[in-house]
Amino acid sequence: MTVNPRERLLAVHDLHIVYPGRRRLLRKAPDNHAVAGVTFSVAEGETFGLVGESGSGKSTIGRAILGLTSVAAGSITFRGRPLPRDRHGLQGYRRSVQAVFQDPLSSLNPSMPVGGAIAEPLRRLRELSDRREIEREICALLEAVGLPAETRHRYPSQLSGGQRQRVAIARALAPRPELIVCDEAVSALDVSTQAQIVNLFADLQAELGVAYLFIAHDLGVVRHLSHRTGVLSRGEMVEQGKAREVHDQPQHPYTQQLLAAVPIPDPVRQAERRIARRAANAAPVSG
Amino acid sequence: MSAGAGPQARLWRRVTRQPVTMVAAGYLVLLLFVAAFATQLTPYDPDAGDLQALLQGPSSDHLLGTDQLGRDTLSRLLVATQIAVIAGVEAIVVALGLGVPIGLISGYVGGRVDRAVMRMVDVLLSLPGMVVALAIIAAMGPGLVNAMFAVGVLFAIRIIRLVRGTVLSAREELYVSAARLSGAPPRRVILRYILPNVSIPLLVEVALYFGVALLIEAMLSFLGVGVQPPQATWGTMLSEARSYVGEQPFLPVPAGVMITLTVLAFNLVADGLSAALDPREKRRVLPLPDAPTDASSADEADGQAVLAVRALRVRLPGGDGGLDVLRGVSFDVHRGEIVGLVGESGSGKSLTALSCLGLLPPRAEVRGSIRLLGEELVGRPEKELQAVRGRKLAMVFQEPAKALNPSLTVGRQIAEGLEIHRGLSRREALWESAELLRKVGVPNAEKRLREYPHQFSGGMAQRVVIAMALACDPDVLIADEPTTALDVTTQGQVLDLLLDLREQTGVAILLITHDLGVVADLCDRANVMYAGEVVESAGVQELFDRPQHPYTTALLRATPDDQAEVDRLASIPGQVPRPDELTGGCAFAGRCAHRLNLCSEAHPRMIDAGGGVEVRCHLHEVELATSVAGPGSRTRPRIKESHDDR
């Protein structure tokens, strides 16, 4: 899984995102510095894994890249150009950058057949208007994600979790994006389904050359799918590098702690890891 | 359109199953029909009096009698119905026309617009509705149209609040974000993505308001500020009847009955709609299931097991004749043992836990046997189960935040169990609570007892839940995905805690999880569940080293490993069958790479594969048969080969 040096697609530089504290009657609650100076980049056709625990700021970074959250300082550039602010520019940007979210049930409109969800970007972003052409495209996209064409008439509630996530992926693929932000895109799925979707992501990348920013808390999945990995802790990137290196020889104590905490499906090795982890935790390093 | 499975269609299906709602709705349809054709249906001219027949009771000439001017009451009632319906429609149209757009905009735009709208709404709502209506009528002059406009404005204020609230929550939905990312302009996001989800709760309100509008119309006309006599409306009819009720007591009855029936019908329809919207089943006490019939193996229940489940079957209402969600689950948990129930969603692992606790949804049919310390739990009345729950059997749920009461201090919640189950005094219970918190590793226990659940992080809250579970020194602790909602470093700490508690107290733990890593970390033994039954039961070492069932093998291979250098994960094609899709054969047959013809025909038995391993698979039966019959029997069945084939 080595990548040739390719052109840089997305560059995030010294990104800061601040949620202002709520104003109370007399005093203001302190601001929440959700992301504090994060820098990384994603190359064409590459998968960059962004891991961290809850509150690490990983999803906030994803939302900022999608233009759904405002940025306090720093820059996000796509192909060298800053994130557009006007609606017209944003429409163009969304043609290139799409998203797949965690919970496929809540990311699909319950009162719209799934074909409608896929038609939306075809109409708005690809600017198709011919009904039959849209219909054809929907079927092709559903086929690309391994669903029968009839699925387009179904409602989200009639599909399984894996099928819904396939629909969400088809919708993201519709405008032919260069980058898809996958925010915990497989964490709500069962193991056997998760494996199917992880493989689908890999196949689509091989076929279409799409890049992923793969945001997840599951280190196993990120290790499997990413070329490079960045580890976030409390809004800061503590370590980044080639996925295998970060996972197999973690440098930063936080990464080490994180990796040591993942129970692995092997009782003998897990027992050893448990002893090692408890010994490490007993000697307080960072509190 | 497809068979109609959107929320609207589902609502319709639920409503049509409520006879009372259907009768009420039928009445309203009839009412609309009468209103539409009122002028054709009247036997007499409603405004022409017959001076020969004043104030008559019901007769064959005048079915509902006549009034003080000799006008036919039935005819007047029919015309009045028409006016009532027109009035109601007007009020609703005004209410929706004003309320929905303002609510949508206020909720979606937010900020200053929203604040201005909401302040105005607050002010209007703080005045009595009748005063507002009378003020509008005073400004616009009396008459039906103006009166109902006023009523519409009153309703609009409430609808603004309802719509705005729904929009605010819908705005945060991922599908709205997704629609924006798909390039949908704001107008389309509002109309196509948000409005449909507002429409269903709105429907309930509209039904309710229609009834109220009729009532208000009658009231205003009765007071003389609505419709003016001689025009017939229910209100004016009542108002006029008031003066002559002494001479003809029947006179006010028709209009009164009409008003009552109609408003009642609207309320019943609104009730029916909101009941259909509520996904919870109506609570109903059900007769206990029969004594266990197919639990013949119950006597074999291991004497030493603290928890012994045998041939547990659970059927939930739904489908044709119910869904068999558990189809004969058997396992044991011994003292001091941690036993895993592993499976994907739909495998029945959580339902098994709920069965043990007697917390199945009402109308669930339970068969088989669940023995706790030798005592049968199946078929025991709720009261007796309550005594068992918490004292001998305790539960830790997935989301600690939902398992704790947000409005009570943590100390109060732990102490309550101690007071009820162990009869401690308040002070003793509080002292004991602090002790428990220390035991589960919550620092500053005394101080934290006085805090509320929201002041605890996820991991700390789960420790509190575990402390509550341990309060009465239970024999068995059932932990349903206790760490799934927690971060991985916190998960490690909570798992450590469970191990330590087992060491210290000897409590038996039934651990329900989908995470094979957690099983490897904690369990002594594991039962792999698939589609409502246990397909493999083995010691963890055996399970991970030599999985016997093709499903276990596939599940292990689908889990991303920290060492393997593979490009593709081994996935299992297809998905877990739903209970209504199960046939007579093996539930896994459709997804199994080693399927024999036999597999889709006959249901496999649980067979002993040696070494304390039991497996429910035809391949093993075949293997067993050939190894007994032929020479050179292999100890390792052929699944092993498939495990290594990639």
Side-chain angles (χ1 to χ4, degrees), chain B residues 38 46 97 108 135 153 193 231 282 294 298 350 352 368 410 446 480 584 592 600:
Chain B
Y108 192 79
V153 172
Y193 288 83
Q231 205 178 10
K282 278 240 174 71
D294 54 1
S350 288
T352 306
V410 161
E446 274 86 4
D480 188 358
C592 183
S600 42

Side-chain angles (χ1 to χ4, degrees), chain A residues 120 160 190 196 244 274, chain B residues 188 345 496 565 572 575:
Chain A
E120 195 75 69
S160 71
D190 274 323
Q196 293 173 14
R244 292 290 143 85
R274 158 174 292 281
Chain B
R188 187 169 160 77
S345 47
D496 287 349
E565 299 291 331
I572 311 176
Q575 47 221 314

Side-chain angles (χ1 to χ4, degrees), chain A residues 3-227:
Chain A
V3 234
N4 305 324
R6 276 185 261 194
E7 202 177 324
R8 183 187 278 187
L9 204 57
L10 176 85
V12 172
H13 182 73
D14 195 25
L15 185 71
H16 289 258
I17 298 169
V18 179
Y19 291 126
R22 274 184 70 143
R23 232 175 295 166
R24 297 269 164 71
L25 203 55
L26 291 173
R27 62 196 172 88
K28 194 166 152 269
D31 291 343
N32 176 13
H33 219 113
V35 178
V38 167
T39 301
F40 67 95
S41 64
V42 184
E44 276 180 347
E46 182 194 39
T47 302
F48 187 88
L50 202 54
V51 295
E53 299 189 283
S54 53
S56 63
K58 56 188 194 302
S59 291
T60 308
I61 294 175
R63 290 185 69 83
I65 291 167
L66 294 167
L68 297 172
T69 288
S70 57
V71 169
S75 70
I76 299 172
T77 53
F78 188 80
R79 289 208 177 278
R81 285 211 295 263
L83 212 75
R85 277 156 187 265
D86 59 309
R87 250 199 68 199
H88 184 74
L90 218 48
Q91 263 333 63
Y93 177 69
R94 288 189 170 145
R95 232 162 270 151
S96 315
V97 180
Q98 275 293 318
V100 176
F101 294 109
Q102 170 171 8
D103 181 358
L105 184 58
S106 66
S107 71
L108 293 169
N109 186 350
S111 51
M112 190 188 264
V114 297
I118 303 173
E120 195 75 69
L122 292 174
R123 266 196 217 107
R124 307 288 153 183
L125 299 175
R126 291 261 301 273
E127 288 165 9
L128 301 181
S129 53
D130 180 43
R131 218 165 243 276
R132 284 183 32 219
E133 197 184 349
I134 291 175
E135 212 48 9
R136 232 185 357 258
E137 272 292 313
I138 292 173
C139 296
L141 283 162
L142 284 172
E143 197 195 334
V145 297
L147 288 176
E150 308 91 79
T151 315
R152 66 188 188 279
H153 302 303
R154 301 284 194 101
Y155 284 87
S157 61
Q158 292 172 297
L159 303 178
S160 71
Q163 290 170 328
R164 284 179 206 135
Q165 200 58 301
R166 286 174 195 268
V167 170
I169 295 171
R171 171 176 62 191
L173 289 174
R176 297 179 182 150
E178 293 175 280
L179 173 70
I180 299 181
V181 175
C182 306
D183 188 359
E184 298 278 13
V186 299
S187 32
L189 304 174
D190 274 323
V191 178
S192 69
T193 324
Q194 175 177 303
Q196 293 173 14
I197 301 295
V198 165
N199 287 339
L200 176 64
F201 275 124
D203 292 347
L204 290 170
Q205 184 165 61
E207 214 173 294
L208 308 169
V210 60
Y212 300 123
L213 175 61
F214 201 86
I215 300 169
H217 69 275
D218 185 330
L219 291 134
V221 171
V222 171
R223 177 185 183 271
H224 178 80
L225 207 58
S226 314
H227 302 111

Side-chain angles (χ1 to χ4, degrees), chain B residues 552-609:
Chain B
T552 317
T553 314
L555 205 58
L556 279 169
R557 286 168 55 196
T559 309
D561 197 275
D562 67 325
Q563 290 184 318
E565 299 291 331
V566 289
D567 280 351
R568 291 181 67 77
L569 290 174
S571 64
I572 311 176
Q575 47 221 314
V576 184
R578 292 194 311 266
D580 58 339
E581 292 171 341
L582 291 171
T583 55
C586 169
F588 189 61
R591 305 173 76 187
C592 183
H594 310 278
R595 160 177 73 241
L596 309 171
N597 284 339
L598 176 66
C599 296
S600 42
E601 287 156 16
H603 188 246
R605 294 177 300 126
M606 199 71 167
I607 54 169
D608 192 340

Side-chain angles (χ1 to χ4, degrees), chain B residues 105-189:
Chain B
I105 291 166
S106 180
Y108 192 79
V109 177
R112 216 176 298 164
V113 177
D114 186 39
R115 274 199 296 279
V117 170
M118 288 325 288
R119 282 306 85 77
M120 208 154 83
V121 166
D122 287 342
V123 168
L124 287 173
L125 277 177
S126 63
L127 297 169
M130 213 47 169
V131 174
V132 178
L134 288 173
I136 296 173
I137 294 167
M140 295 174 63
L144 181 70
V145 175
N146 293 350
M148 291 331 282
F149 181 83
V151 173
V153 172
L154 282 187
F155 290 161
I157 295 165
R158 282 155 215 277
I159 286 180
I160 289 173
R161 271 167 79 109
L162 173 78
V163 171
R164 171 184 173 268
T166 317
V167 172
L168 281 183
S169 59
R171 244 170 67 121
E172 300 302 315
E173 292 285 351
L174 280 175
Y175 62 80
V176 173
S177 290
R180 287 168 65 193
L181 293 177
S182 296
R187 199 167 51 94
R188 187 169 160 77
V189 171

